[in-house]
Amino acid sequence: MENCISNKHILFLCFNFYNYNVEIKKKLEELGARVDMYEQIKYNLFYTFLLRLRLGKWYKNRLASKIINTCKNVEYDYILSLEIKQPEAFYQKLHTLQPKARFVLYYWDSIKFFNYLPYIKYFDKVFSFDKDDAEANDSVIYLPLFYIDSYAAIRTNDVSEKKYDLLFIASYNEERYHNLERFLEELPQNVKIYIYLRATLGIYIKCALKGLKMKWFGIRKMTQSEIANMYRQCNCVLDFDKKSQSGLTMRTIESLGAGKKIVTSNKRIKEELFFNQNNIFILGDNNPKALEDFVKKDFVSSPRIEDYSIEKWCLKLFANNVSGELV
C-alpha cells in the first residue's frame, strides 16, 4: 500500500488506552512521519479528582490550550484525532489554524455511545471500527482495529508450551460477567480456561458484596507485555461483543494477529476478510462438543491476517484512495 506520510508532519490527538496511542505514534514514525502527540484528555486519578470538584471542564480547556498554542507556530500536513474528547469549538479552532492540513478522525466506539456526527464537517476522512455506523452514514468509512507488532511476534515465534485451552482477559461489566457465567455452564470440564476480570477498587468491592466469583477478579491493569505472555500460554481467546455495537474488539484482532483462535459471540465476524471457520468459533452457531474439538486443534495461518496489522492500519488512515472497502 502507498505510503502517504513519509516526511510528513502529523499532529496526533489521542488519549491513553493500554498505551495504544504510543504504539500508533511509534509506527507512524517508523513509516517516516514526524509526529507531535498530545492527549486530548487524560484519564487518571487526578482527572477523577477534578471531576468530583466539578473542575473537569477547566482541565480539558487547559489541555486544549496547550495544543492550540502549539498549532499557532507549526504547520502540519495531517491532523489525526483518535476519537472526540474536546468540545466542537476546539476542532473548529484547529481547522482555522491549520487550513492546509488534512484532518482524519478514527473512532473505536459506537455512535450509540457518543454521537460524533456533528464533528464530521471538520474532517476530510472519518473512519469507524463499527460496521453498522459506517453502513448507516455515507461519510464514515469502515476500518477495523489492528494488532501491534508484539502480537505478530507471537504468531511467528511461538514455541511456548500451552497451559490453557482458553484465555479470557477483559474489563468487568455486568453484561460480560453474565455472558461468562452462561458460557462456563456449558463448557466441557476438560477444557482449561484462564479468567481475569479487571475492576477498579470501588467496583471490586461492590462485586464482592454481591457475592460474585471473586477468584476471577483483579484490580491491577495488566500491561501489554503481560497480556502477550498469557497469549503465549493459550490456544484460543474468548471474547464477548457488546450487543450495542457491531465492531470487532481489539482482543479479536490481536488474537488472530498472535496466531490464536477465537471463540466469540460476534456473528458479524463472518463478514471479515480473515474469516476462517478453522480459526473462529461463533457461539450460538455451534454446540459445546464442537467447542471441545475446536480448542484442541492448531491455528491455520492466513495471509489476510496481515491486512489488520498496525502498519496497514496507519497507511489506510492516510491513503488517498481509501473508500468503504478495507483494502
Side-chain angles (χ1 to χ4, degrees), residues 15 38 50 66 69 99 102 104 111 118 120 122 136 155 197 237 241 245 264 272-273 279-280 284 289 298-299 317:
F15 60 98
Y38 291 92
L50 291 176
K66 184 177 181 180
N69 288 334
R102 288 185 60 80
V104 180
I111 289 175
I120 285 180
Y122 301 111
R155 187 174 78 250
L197 287 172
V237 176
D241 65 317
Q245 64 187 30
T264 181
E272 296 299 323
L273 297 173
N279 293 332
I280 300 167
K289 182 60 173 69
D298 292 334
F299 180 85
L317 286 178

Side-chain angles (χ1 to χ4, degrees), residues 128-142:
S128 173
F129 92 126
D130 194 301
K131 200 165 193 175
D132 286 346
D133 287 350
E135 291 176 350
N137 300 279
D138 292 338
S139 299
V140 179
I141 301 168
Y142 173 59

Side-chain angles (χ1 to χ4, degrees), residues 147 150-156 158 231 253-260 299 305:
Y147 62 85
S150 58
Y151 289 92
I154 296 173
R155 187 174 78 250
T156 55
D158 189 8
Y231 271 55
I253 306 298
E254 284 178 339
S255 301
L256 293 168
K260 303 300 175 180
F299 180 85
I305 293 172

Side-chain angles (χ1 to χ4, degrees), residues 17-21 23 146 148 150-151 154 221-232 250-251 254:
F17 180 70
Y18 284 96
N19 242 31
Y20 287 117
N21 58 322
E23 293 289 343
F146 54 84
I148 60 178
S150 58
Y151 289 92
I154 296 173
K221 182 184 290 186
M222 282 189 175
T223 64
Q224 285 286 4
S225 60
E226 288 174 323
I227 295 173
N229 184 55
M230 291 305 304
Y231 271 55
R232 292 186 179 93
M250 182 70 82
R251 191 72 68 223
E254 284 178 339

